[in-house]
Amino acid sequence: MGSYLAWMSPRLIEMRRVLTQRGTLYLHCDPTTSHYLKTLADAIFGSSCYRNELVWAYPASPSASKRNFPSKHDVILRYSVSGDWVFNADAVRVPYAESSLERVRYAANASTVMAGRSIELQEGGKLPPSVWSDIQQTYRYRAENTRYPTQKPTLLYERMIAASSNAGDVVLDPFAGCATTCVAAQRLGRRWIGIDVESEAVRLCRMRLVNELGFDGRTEELTEPPDRDDDRQLELIPRNQRLRLELWQRMQTEAEAETPPCEGCGRAPGMDYMEVDHIIPRSRGGEHTWDNVQLLCGPCNRSKGNKTMAQWRRDRASTGSR
């Protein structure tokens, strides 16, 4: 498990890096790893960016287990990178239970209030709860079953993609496998990128797009990672002492001074008293990139706390603080 988490860490870091500010990560795993991956994702995305633990509970088939309850569910962890994420509730509504419909049909004889709130049924149905038990395992959907060992039903991924993206958005699956995400994205009018180390994944992707969707467009297979064309320095920047030293050297160059001043108070206490700060905190959607880090003296850094630099300066100005 330690090796697996060490392998997943840089991949989750890269997923966070390329996710848009309104994007969502769905991390599909099984119950043996979900609690470890949640701790890891909390550290990388921030616990404030955790949105849901979804449980895909597929209908139980006979089990040979006699000493344990049969395991019939997967876990899907959902994270955003900011407080403004896409969520299309109307795109993923499901039918109400018959009991709810009966309550409305015979409202004169049944309460229309629950937990102090009136019950109002939406025309398109209800939002699925965090336990999804209405989607069966892949082998039940014979038309799409490729017998790939970890294949998931397209309906499952269509729900996630429809909820958290809009037409024309890009959907990335860095573990594409038999291309279920790619097929679901294509079906919903999204652009998509699938990544996998197995050549079989490329063959299955093309086969499924043609057979299931009649797709006759061009797909491009890359055997080498493409060159980056970022217009900003999005690569991971060094941390801790090395990062502080490099920022200090930049400040010296810009200020043309051996001991440059703090960006907050203007005092020049020296590098040993300076701390790395995110101009826009990561919890507010700020990225760990060169244009979002600075050095502040210790008192200023603690005073700024979780505020953006602009907000902190406004607050200081309103109170007359220096």
Side-chain angles (χ1 to χ4, degrees), residues 94-250:
V94 296
Y96 286 102
E98 187 62 28
S99 58
S100 298
L101 297 176
E102 289 294 323
R103 182 182 293 273
V104 173
R105 292 191 191 113
Y106 302 101
N109 301 316
S111 172
T112 58
V113 177
M114 183 177 294
R117 292 180 296 179
S118 61
I119 301 172
E120 296 182 7
L121 301 188
Q122 298 292 322
E123 183 177 347
K126 66 176 182 178
L127 270 178
S130 58
V131 177
W132 296 353
S133 58
D134 58 330
I135 299 175
Q136 304 198 46
Q137 290 175 287
T138 307
Y139 72 87
R140 304 272 187 176
Y141 306 100
R142 295 184 179 180
E144 67 183 58
N145 188 9
T146 67
R147 300 185 182 278
Y148 193 82
T150 57
Q151 183 176 357
K152 304 301 186 294
T154 307
L155 284 175
L156 183 68
Y157 286 10
E158 282 184 346
R159 179 174 291 176
M160 293 182 268
I161 292 170
S164 298
S165 67
N166 297 314
D169 286 349
V170 178
V171 176
L172 168 67
D173 187 347
F175 306 100
C178 62
T180 299
T181 302
C182 307
V183 171
Q186 181 72 24
R187 185 175 289 170
L188 293 172
R190 275 61 165 172
R191 294 177 292 160
W192 51 267
I193 301 169
I195 302 172
D196 206 285
V197 297
E198 295 290 341
S199 59
E200 176 68 2
V202 177
R203 186 190 70 81
L204 286 172
C205 180
R206 288 178 173 150
M207 181 191 77
R208 293 191 66 189
L209 288 170
V210 172
N211 293 349
E212 295 178 36
L213 302 180
F215 181 72
D216 59 359
R218 182 177 63 88
T219 58
E220 181 180 2
E221 177 187 354
L222 302 177
T223 56
E224 295 293 334
D227 293 332
R228 283 188 172 173
D229 58 359
D230 309 68
D231 57 1
R232 298 171 58 203
Q233 287 181 286
L234 289 177
E235 70 274 10
L236 291 176
I237 58 179
R239 298 176 183 271
N240 303 328
Q241 296 300 318
R242 182 180 159 207
L243 173 56
R244 187 172 67 152
L245 175 60
E246 294 196 18
L247 286 172
W248 179 256
Q249 291 170 342
R250 288 183 178 212

Side-chain angles (χ1 to χ4, degrees), residues 13 24 31 36 61 69 85-86 107 111 154 185 213 278 299:
I13 290 171
T24 301
Y36 296 110
S61 54
F69 297 107
W85 61 90
V86 172
S111 172
T154 307
L213 302 180
H278 288 88

